[in-house]
Structure formats: C-alpha cells, structure tokens
Amino acid sequence: MRVVIAEDEFLLREGISRILADEGHEIVATAGDADDLLGKVAAYRPDLVLTDIRMPPDFADDGLRAAKRIRREFPGTAVVVLSQYVDATGAMELLADGANGIGYLLKRRILNLEDFLDSVQRVADGGSSIDSDVITSMVRREVRNHQDGGIAQLTPRRLEVLQLMAQGYSNARIARELFVTEKAVARSIALIFVALDLPPDPDDHRRVLAVMRFLDR
C-alpha cells in the first residue's frame, strides 16, 4: 500500500519508514509537521497515513487535528495515530465518526514488530486497532458515566472480550489471547449483546454496534 508517515522525530520517522518498506509498502512521502502532512496527503492521496499526535507547529494535538481533517476530507484514507501517552479523550474524538480504517496506538507498541504490522494491516483493510491501554481507559470512563446498565453490567472477562473485539480481533484470535475456546468466546459475545440490549437484526452488525457503544460519542 502507499503510505505517508508524519513524525517530527527523525530517527523514529526513518525507523517506521524502514519497517514498512521492508514489508513491501511504498512510502510515498514523509512529513515533519502537521501542515506538511496535510499537504502531502492532498498531493499523494495515500492508502494509509501514520502520524504522531503531538507535532509542530504547536506541539500540542496538531497531529490529531490533522488526522481528523484527513478523515473528513479524504474518507477513503486509513489513519493510524501514535501517542506517547494514553489519551482517552483524543481517541474518542478521532472515533466520533466511526472506527473503520482507524488505529490508535501507543508508541511503545512499535517495539512489538509483529503486533504493530498486524495493527497497521488491519486498519489498512478497513478495520480498527485501538491500543488495549486506551480501550481500558475508555471503558473505565464509560462505566463511571453509566453505572445503571450497559457496559457497567459486563463482567471483567466480558470486558476483556469487548476490548479485544474493539482491537479488530476475530473470535479465534480472542480465544488465543485469553487462552479459552472459541465456543467460550462466542458465548461471552452473545451475553455482551444481551447486556447491551442488542437483539438480532438483519440490518445491523451487532459486533460493530457493541464496540461502538463505548468507542463512539
């Protein structure tokens, strides 16, 4: 796929570029600030953008704001944002219009090369990949805000299943992560649907709705 990478730290930017290039992806451009990123996306129309959240010119949430603008103006472009710290509010802002083609990863996850590449590919394929620590923070926030039902009714294990669903994992992958059977995962998901009041509906994808229940605002 064709990729634009935005990161103001030269060594990290070059390292990510090399990692993705070694996997056969084409790095069509790199950027060192948010304004340059927007210009490169408009010029090259990449399949995927990977950007840091904190970038020049303001060194605040410039990268996040650029990512949101890319989502609006180039809806076919997949976006992965990288953050040094957990920012549940920033993640919810990015996911406000849906989780398809969105990734939100902590920078330390890059050290696990296999997981990083898997996350990037899932986002590029139209799925989502949200860092587990970010999801945990979002779930805790949702539980605090909705103590009377919904997410708050889920057991710790079902919350784990829902978090892994939000990362885009299949039932088989969830089973491997939790060291349980696929049958046990399927049962947990069925009970999640009950807790979240998501009855079968041919016009709705309950798995997506369950994830978006706490990812979207």
Side-chain angles (χ1 to χ4, degrees), residues 8-144:
D8 62 299
E9 294 184 17
F10 174 79
L11 291 179
L12 182 56
R13 183 172 71 240
E14 293 304 303
I16 294 172
S17 297
R18 176 62 64 86
I19 288 170
L20 295 180
D22 286 348
E23 290 297 307
H25 304 303
E26 180 185 1
I27 311 304
V28 296
T30 60
D33 62 63
D35 293 336
D36 191 22
L37 167 61
L38 293 170
K40 294 290 178 57
V41 171
Y44 291 96
R45 302 297 179 93
D47 303 306
L48 175 81
V49 169
L50 193 149
T51 180
D52 190 8
I53 284 182
R54 294 185 180 276
M55 295 179 64
D58 297 329
F59 289 99
D61 62 345
D62 302 69
L64 178 64
R65 286 186 277 115
K68 290 160 60 178
R69 182 171 169 181
I70 291 167
R71 289 281 284 177
R72 292 194 306 270
E73 298 181 6
F74 307 96
T77 303
V79 176
V80 175
V81 299
L82 299 175
S83 178
Q84 191 71 36
Y85 308 102
V86 174
D87 179 8
T89 300
M92 288 187 289
E93 289 179 8
L94 184 63
L95 293 161
D97 294 324
N100 291 341
I102 282 290
Y104 191 109
L105 306 176
L106 296 183
K107 285 187 174 180
R108 65 174 179 266
R109 302 300 182 194
I110 300 175
L111 299 177
N112 189 324
L113 188 57
E114 183 178 354
D115 283 351
F116 172 66
L117 293 173
D118 178 65
S119 294
V120 168
Q121 190 61 58
R122 276 190 281 119
V123 172
D125 290 340
S128 62
S129 183
I130 314 301
D131 193 281
S132 58
D133 288 351
V134 176
I135 292 174
T136 297
S137 178
M138 294 166 74
V139 170
R140 287 173 178 166
R141 182 171 180 163
E142 179 76 3
V143 170
R144 288 196 301 269

